[in-house]
Amino acid sequence: MLNLLHAQLYRLIRSVTFWGFLGLTAFIAYVVGRSVAENALMGSQIAGLPPLNILGDWQGVVVDAELVLSAYHAPLYLCLFTSLVVAVLYSDDGHQGGLRSLMVGKGARQDYVLAMTTLSAVVALSMVLVAFVATWAAFLPFALMSVGFSGGRFVRWAMMVVLAAVFCSMVTLTVLLATGRKTVAVLFAVLLCCSVFESALGAIAFWLGAEGVMDGVISWLPLQVVERVGISGMPPLALDMLSPAVGAAAAMALCWLAIRRKRI
């Protein structure tokens, strides 16, 4: 297990896809942070953010990074980028002929799922940290504004994003294992992380006249919980952490079942 994890981490560090998405994350977070700061200085109200009375408060104002990122749906694209990196790494294993050797031995397939789960968590955490640093850097030119680090709240929010990213990555990997087609898995990841499935479920529930029940179910899906908590301004509670954690565990189990039936 540890040797497999070391090998996968080494491949991750050498992956152009990983570094490309890290760079894209930094670019998006910087542009978002700069946009928030400029709009606040002009007195504009940003959806999902509390009023930032910069001009009337010469002591300056500190904005939580997770609020800025959540207002522009950062958790969704962080989950998408993580899913795409994991899908590419698995595809590289198959194309380079290394997948067959990794599946040799008792418990090898279980170890592979655990290694890929850990890898997706590392990728997601890296992207969260890069997004935070880029947001902080975007506020540096503005003397009256800065990005704060709210300690426990940010850590818990980051954990929720990582768990949601693991959920999306493992579901995407399950689709890739089941279909064997990277294009299908990528399309599925895009639909999943853009909340298309939630919208479809809501439309079906409305047509069936059960929107009240379905809205309650949809509101507790991992990505919806992360989005809601991120813009609420309140510290995530244990119950909020439960949905992404259960989702990640269920996705791991699905991936393990899929890889058990996979002919390598």
Side-chain angles (χ1 to χ4, degrees):
M1 168 62 186
L2 290 179
N3 290 337
L4 176 59
L5 181 58
H6 290 160
Q8 295 296 78
L9 289 174
Y10 177 74
R11 290 181 57 248
L12 176 66
I13 294 174
R14 293 174 59 87
S15 172
V16 176
T17 304
F18 171 63
W19 292 108
F21 277 119
L22 271 187
L24 183 58
T25 298
F27 174 77
I28 294 174
Y30 183 85
V31 171
V32 165
R34 189 72 180 242
S35 175
V36 168
E38 291 176 349
N39 280 288
L41 285 176
M42 291 186 295
S44 301
Q45 174 61 27
I46 311 299
L49 287 177
L52 304 176
N53 301 316
I54 308 301
L55 298 180
D57 183 4
W58 294 103
Q59 300 298 318
V61 66
V62 178
V63 186
D64 289 339
E66 61 271 20
L67 283 176
V68 175
L69 293 170
S70 296
Y72 283 83
H73 309 290
L76 299 185
Y77 68 75
L78 293 178
C79 290
L80 175 60
F81 293 169
T82 303
S83 300
L84 296 180
V85 170
V86 171
V88 169
L89 289 174
Y90 171 81
S91 298
D92 289 345
D93 280 339
H95 292 159
Q96 295 171 6
L99 196 58
R100 186 182 299 274
S101 62
L102 292 174
M103 298 302 173
V104 175
K106 184 178 180 180
R109 300 190 180 215
Q110 178 181 340
D111 289 345
Y112 186 81
V113 172
L114 291 175
M116 294 302 284
T117 302
T118 306
L119 200 68
S120 64
V122 171
V123 172
L125 182 58
S126 301
M127 291 188 178
V128 168
L129 294 177
V130 166
F132 172 77
V133 172
T135 305
W136 171 78
F139 278 74
L140 286 179
F142 302 91
L144 295 179
M145 296 189 70
S146 63
V147 170
F149 183 80
S150 54
R153 171 179 160 77
F154 178 81
V155 170
R156 280 178 280 181
W157 176 82
M159 288 176 61
M160 290 183 67
V161 174
V162 169
L163 289 171
V166 170
F167 163 75
C168 295
S169 301
M170 290 298 101
V171 173
T172 302
L173 184 54
T174 301
V175 173
L176 184 54
L177 287 165
T179 63
R181 297 183 178 275
K182 185 165 63 174
T183 305
V184 174
V186 169
L187 178 59
F188 181 88
V190 172
L191 295 177
L192 177 64
C193 297
C194 292
S195 301
V196 174
F197 293 126
E198 287 91 336
S199 300
L201 287 174
I204 293 172
F206 178 79
W207 182 68
L208 294 175
E211 60 270 20
V213 175
M214 187 57 69
D215 287 346
V217 173
I218 292 174
S219 67
W220 284 103
L221 293 176
L223 290 177
Q224 295 298 316
V225 172
V226 173
E227 281 273 277
R228 183 176 68 251
V229 172
I231 62 176
S232 68
M234 300 297 292
L237 304 175
L239 188 60
D240 298 324
M241 302 286 292
L242 184 62
S243 174
V246 171
M252 283 179 60
L254 283 175
C255 188
W256 179 69
L257 291 174
I259 205 169
R260 280 190 64 186
R261 298 178 177 274
K262 179 74 173 176
R263 296 184 63 182
I264 306 300

